[in-house]
Amino acid sequence: MSSDFFRNQQYFKALTESSIVSKSNTKGTIIYVNDNFCKVTGYTEQEMIGHSHNLFRHPDNPDSLYKEMWETINAGKIWRGRMINRNKDGSDFIAESTIIPLVDEDGNIREYMAIRNDITDMVKLKREIFLKEQEKVEQEKIREAQKSFLLLFTHELKTPLNAIINFTKYIRKQIESPKAINQEKLLALLDTVSDNAADMLETITMILETSKLTTHKLTYNYTLFSLNELITVALTKYDSLINEKNIKLIQHFDRDVFIYSDILRIQQIFSNILSNAIKYGNDEIIITLRDNADTVVITIEDNGPGIQDKEAIFDLYVQEGESFLQRKGQGTGIGLYFIKLLCQDLNIYYKIEDREQGSGTKFILSFSKKSKKSESNGRV
């Protein structure tokens, strides 16, 4: 994508309105920072230009994180991750970061653009909730804190979602204009932004439906459907991400298996588990579907680091690891809690185990063939 395109002031305004942006050359030397960058870090533009990002590198970040980042962007791929940085005044700044290699018409990398979003307050709030739970405060106070966090997080998602949608509309107008632009790369950027917007909207929906689940107000629509087809559709949704991470996908299916349940809710359950396997696993996912005498069982295995506390991981806003920064992937901490509530309502047995061979996690879903529509607490 040409440098003239990135100098477009309207483009920058749409992209950087709520983000922290910097650009560096192929050697890692900073050549541009926006106003938000200076505002958050405390460094002036003059102090940053000509230096590397090591100026505010935090010692808590492992070397492996930077190694993975450079290997990814040097290969021409987009890197996404969570980093903690050291501001000029010594305070910490936690960011969700996306680093994009910018290439010329010949496909050679010319420079890198880093887009960061400040999540320091969000992480601090999650830690506060976590500590309150660890201290075993009164259960009612915990529920109130969690409800408040739901409202806060919904607001936090809606704001960038609106910016992404407006940015998408802007790119579309640029494509439709008679100006000479690189439409292929611009369309690719548009697709990425649209996908992110869809993911964020899906997260908002899940948060709102979790609220309905906790008050037993979620309704269900039972039909007979094929689990094989449901799994195939879910895998298609994540096909590009699976290819991007070079994940080896292994499938072991029995004959076409049908169950009687709510297809939308089963899709949500399976997609959340698959998404976790992609985020936290390494390079292999095994999906098994077995039709037994009394049950139908789905297992999803990954070869990631595994999970120590297999019970607490289903609690609201809990993520595995002593630090919120130790996970390779990121999430709202609500996904597995949502799965737990759905499984309980739909009479689905769920369990997390260690993978039998090597490190990793094995997620088990078991559907009873004896389950009937009348067994779902009447909320149909």
Side-chain angles (χ1 to χ4, degrees):
M1 194 174 292
S2 66
S3 59
D4 289 337
F5 174 76
F6 285 99
R7 281 196 285 267
N8 184 295
Q9 295 301 314
Q10 288 181 303
Y11 173 88
F12 265 114
K13 183 178 180 181
L15 178 62
T16 65
E17 184 176 3
S18 60
S19 299
I20 302 153
V21 181
S22 63
K23 289 170 64 177
S24 60
N25 59 24
T26 55
K27 295 182 179 180
T29 302
I30 297 174
I31 58 176
Y32 169 83
V33 293
N34 73 339
D35 292 338
N36 282 340
F37 186 103
C38 299
K39 180 180 179 181
V40 173
T41 66
Y43 289 99
T44 65
E45 182 180 6
Q46 292 74 19
E47 290 175 320
M48 295 305 302
I49 300 298
H51 296 85
S52 73
H53 289 89
N54 288 339
L55 195 61
F56 61 95
R57 176 172 175 170
H58 198 283
D60 287 354
N61 291 324
D63 293 338
S64 58
L65 180 67
Y66 296 99
K67 182 176 182 293
E68 177 192 3
M69 179 195 72
W70 278 108
E71 287 177 351
T72 301
I73 61 177
N74 282 338
K77 298 179 181 179
I78 297 175
W79 181 86
R80 299 178 180 87
R82 178 177 295 183
M83 284 187 175
I84 181 169
N85 304 287
R86 180 63 52 82
N87 291 327
K88 186 177 180 179
D89 63 3
S91 61
D92 293 341
F93 155 52
I94 304 171
E96 297 280 11
S97 303
T98 301
I99 303 179
I100 306 170
L102 306 178
V103 299
D104 58 23
E105 295 179 355
D106 297 326
N108 299 315
I109 299 175
R110 297 182 58 183
E111 52 194 29
Y112 301 104
M113 172 178 282
I115 304 171
R116 301 175 178 86
N117 289 299
D118 187 355
I119 60 168
T120 306
D121 292 339
M122 185 184 301
V123 171
K124 287 181 179 178
L125 179 58
K126 291 171 76 173
R127 284 173 173 163
E128 290 173 3
I129 295 175
F130 179 77
L131 290 174
K132 286 180 180 179
E133 292 178 331
Q134 291 297 99
E135 295 167 357
K136 297 181 179 180
V137 298
E138 296 177 7
Q139 192 64 32
E140 183 59 31
K141 290 183 179 180
I142 294 178
R143 284 196 291 266
E144 288 301 318
Q146 292 170 345
K147 289 178 182 178
S148 298
F149 188 79
L150 284 176
L151 296 174
L152 170 65
F153 206 83
T154 302
H155 173 75
E156 291 294 327
L157 284 177
K158 282 185 175 180
T159 301
L161 178 59
N162 288 330
I164 289 175
I165 293 173
N166 292 331
F167 181 41
T168 303
K169 292 178 180 178
Y170 168 75
I171 297 178
R172 175 60 62 182
K173 290 181 180 179
Q174 294 298 302
I175 294 173
E176 295 172 347
S177 70
K179 298 179 181 179
I181 58 176
N182 190 324
Q183 289 197 1
E184 182 178 352
K185 293 187 180 296
L186 200 55
L187 283 170
L189 182 59
L190 174 61
D191 290 339
T192 300
V193 175
S194 296
D195 289 343
N196 288 336
D199 289 342
M200 294 174 70
L201 184 58
E202 184 177 332
T203 300
I204 292 175
T205 301
M206 184 170 63
I207 291 173
L208 295 175
E209 290 189 338
T210 298
S211 178
K212 290 182 179 180
L213 274 167
T214 56
T215 55
H216 306 295
K217 294 181 179 179
L218 194 66
T219 58
Y220 299 93
N221 180 26
Y222 283 74
T223 59
L224 186 67
F225 60 89
S226 167
L227 273 177
N228 304 64
E229 293 182 7
L230 182 146
I231 293 172
T232 299
V233 171
L235 289 173
T236 301
K237 175 183 176 182
Y238 291 100
D239 184 62
S240 60
L241 188 57
I242 290 173
N243 291 333
E244 180 182 329
K245 295 191 66 175
N246 295 318
I247 295 174
K248 180 182 179 182
L249 184 63
I250 302 172
Q251 302 179 60
H252 300 296
F253 289 179
D254 280 347
R255 60 186 180 277
D256 205 9
V257 179
F258 288 82
I259 64 169
Y260 188 77
S261 189
D262 188 313
I263 186 171
L264 172 62
R265 303 308 173 188
I266 304 302
Q267 284 174 338
Q268 290 177 314
I269 292 171
F270 181 81
S271 293
N272 268 286
I273 299 171
L274 179 60
S275 175
N276 277 343
I278 294 171
K279 287 179 183 177
Y280 305 127
N282 290 324
D283 57 4
E284 183 179 84
I285 294 176
I286 302 174
I287 301 175
T288 304
L289 175 59
R290 292 284 181 257
D291 188 359
N292 302 320
D294 298 321
T295 60
V296 172
V297 180
I298 301 176
T299 61
I300 303 98
E301 301 178 52
D302 65 66
N303 61 344
I307 297 173
Q308 293 183 1
D309 195 335
K310 297 175 179 58
E311 294 297 327
I313 197 68
F314 286 100
D315 293 339
L316 191 56
Y317 311 122
V318 172
Q319 291 181 314
E320 176 68 10
E322 296 178 356
S323 167
F324 284 96
L325 299 173
Q326 291 179 346
R327 296 297 294 265
K328 284 186 177 181
Q330 295 77 41
T332 64
I334 198 172
L336 289 177
Y337 180 70
F338 182 66
I339 289 175
K340 178 178 76 171
L341 295 181
L342 278 181
C343 286
Q344 290 173 347
D345 261 18
L346 293 168
N347 299 307
I348 300 170
Y349 173 80
Y350 63 94
K351 186 178 181 181
I352 288 182
E353 295 179 349
D354 292 328
R355 195 181 183 191
E356 294 176 2
Q357 296 181 351
S359 65
T361 300
K362 180 179 181 179
F363 203 115
I364 303 170
L365 292 174
S366 181
F367 306 83
S368 173
K369 291 183 178 180
K370 296 181 180 180
S371 294
K372 296 181 180 179
K373 188 176 180 179
S374 60
E375 295 178 352
S376 58
N377 298 324
R379 296 193 300 279
V380 179

